[in-house]
Amino acid sequence: MAEAERIIGTPDTPDDGGEHTAAAGAPAGTGAGGQGATAARTGRGRRIAVLFAVAAFAYALDLVSKMLVVSRLEGHTPIQVVGDLLELHAIRNPGAAFGFGAAFTVIFTLIAAAVIVVIIRLARKLYSFPWAVALGLLLGGALGNLTDRIFRAPGVFEGEVVDFIAPKGFAVFNLADSAIVCGGILIVLLSFRGLDPDGTVHKD
């Protein structure tokens, strides 16, 4: 969490600049400094809105898909989508994404909860639209699987995740896993480009 704070934080935020301008004699919210601070707060608010909108969309899509799978596919013959290359096959997964680590269900539950807390905490310093999308995907995916961990059998924090997307020769996964992977890939690409969550660009 400390490392995440270091990456996303900046020593001097636009809010600080607005406060210094007001202290210099101009009323808060007036002049170039006040306008700059207001614009910065508006920009940050929009990025936060994007983050939670993406998270809500990913979470809702995952939740609805799992409800349909449980009611219409679980206990039935798998449905072939693209021949034998891709089928819909409902299973219950006690492990992490793609079925790994079945013996550590509680640990993965705690990790998912920690990821959600960190993302929400760091959102207040978010100024980058691409980072807002990436973090929104991570948040929505983590919430989707965490919901299964809490509310599904065999018990609270030990619930098994509903997986149903089964490519040939690959592990079975769900839309929450896909959102997490897409968000992670986007974060890697943004990091390679030197774009920080606060909107600044750096070169190593």
Side-chain angles (χ1 to χ4, degrees), residues 118-169:
V118 169
I119 292 175
I120 293 176
R121 182 180 178 187
L122 299 183
R124 70 184 190 276
K125 294 184 179 180
L126 184 64
Y127 289 91
S128 167
F129 177 82
W131 270 93
V133 173
L135 293 177
L137 289 171
L138 288 179
L139 180 58
L143 283 171
N145 284 338
L146 183 60
T147 299
D148 282 359
R149 300 293 186 197
I150 294 175
F151 295 106
R152 295 194 188 278
V156 178
F157 300 122
E158 297 181 350
E160 297 177 343
V161 174
V162 176
D163 288 336
F164 58 93
I165 304 173
K168 183 178 181 180

Side-chain angles (χ1 to χ4, degrees), residues 24 90 158 170 203:
E158 297 181 350
F170 194 71
K203 293 183 180 180

Side-chain angles (χ1 to χ4, degrees), residues 168-194:
K168 183 178 181 180
F170 194 71
V172 185
F173 58 97
N174 57 44
L175 294 182
D177 297 332
S178 301
I180 292 171
V181 170
C182 291
I185 292 174
L186 182 54
I187 287 175
V188 171
L189 294 176
L190 294 173
S191 298
F192 272 121
R193 294 188 60 185

Side-chain angles (χ1 to χ4, degrees), residues 11-64:
D12 296 311
T13 64
D15 286 22
D16 290 335
E19 292 174 0
H20 294 326
T21 302
T30 62
Q35 293 175 358
T38 300
R41 284 192 294 270
T42 301
R44 180 180 61 185
R46 289 174 179 172
R47 302 302 182 267
I48 293 175
V50 169
L51 187 157
F52 286 110
V54 171
F57 178 77
Y59 176 70
L61 201 61
D62 177 70
L63 187 63
V64 171

